[in-house]
Amino acid sequence: MANEKTQESKATQTKSKTGVSGLIGTLLATLFFSLLMSIIIECVGITFFWPEEGDKHSEMMLDTEFGYLSHDFVESFILSDPVRYTERLVKDTYELLAIKTGLIDMINGPVSDKNSSFAQLVSSFGVYIKAVINIILVFLVRLTILVLSTPIFLLAAMVGAVDGLVRRDIRRFGAGRESSFLYYHAKAWIKPLLIIAWLIYLSVPFSIHPNLVFIPMAVLFGMSLSITFGSFKKYI
């Protein structure tokens, strides 16, 4: 009997660790895919859609995203000073990617100094390289805003869970019918809604106010939780 309980406890711990590691893996994969898509979309845009703007397009995006951050995310219980933190993060990342690697010097330096084939190659694709660096900085600013917007999803989750549990109790005491169809389909949309919200916000090739993405997605997220909890079986 003791051995069975020990085995069940170990199986539960293993399952929880697997669930946490799977969640972290999904999170990192989503972030990597979003960054990769942002870079690809920007390079395709420079080639076909806004060649006259070049890397200025991503530079204007960076300025706009900073504007959203400095106007609407000045205070947060997650970060004491979000604006200053993000400015330092962007500055350090720019120095690491552009200055310490010497890419900017190779792009902007005199033609006579570009003796190596690598320097000539970097100079030839200078617009794309600067755009990629700007997109990485835009990604960092958006990721900071995304973290600061987490409370809206937590609030939607609490409201949805409470509303669903109340409706479940009403159905339970009122002899209402259960619906496994609603339960499983609503539950299946909980995780994708979060991933879709991240992908859309982090990958769009133009500046968009975070509220236009997060508020609708938070509402849908809360509704999915409400339906999931509300259609759960009456007796646990």
Side-chain angles (χ1 to χ4, degrees), residues 13-29 191:
Q13 292 177 358
T14 303
K15 187 176 180 180
S16 63
K17 289 180 180 179
T18 303
V20 173
S21 60
L23 180 62
I24 295 175
T26 302
L27 177 65
L28 295 177
K191 188 176 179 180

Side-chain angles (χ1 to χ4, degrees), residues 13 47 88 92 100-101 109 120 128 133 158 191 209 211 214 234:
Q13 292 177 358
T47 304
R88 185 169 62 251
D92 293 342
K100 291 184 178 180
T101 58
Q120 294 177 0
Y128 292 92
I133 294 174
M158 288 192 302
K191 188 176 179 180
H209 198 282
N211 291 342
F214 295 144
K234 289 185 286 187

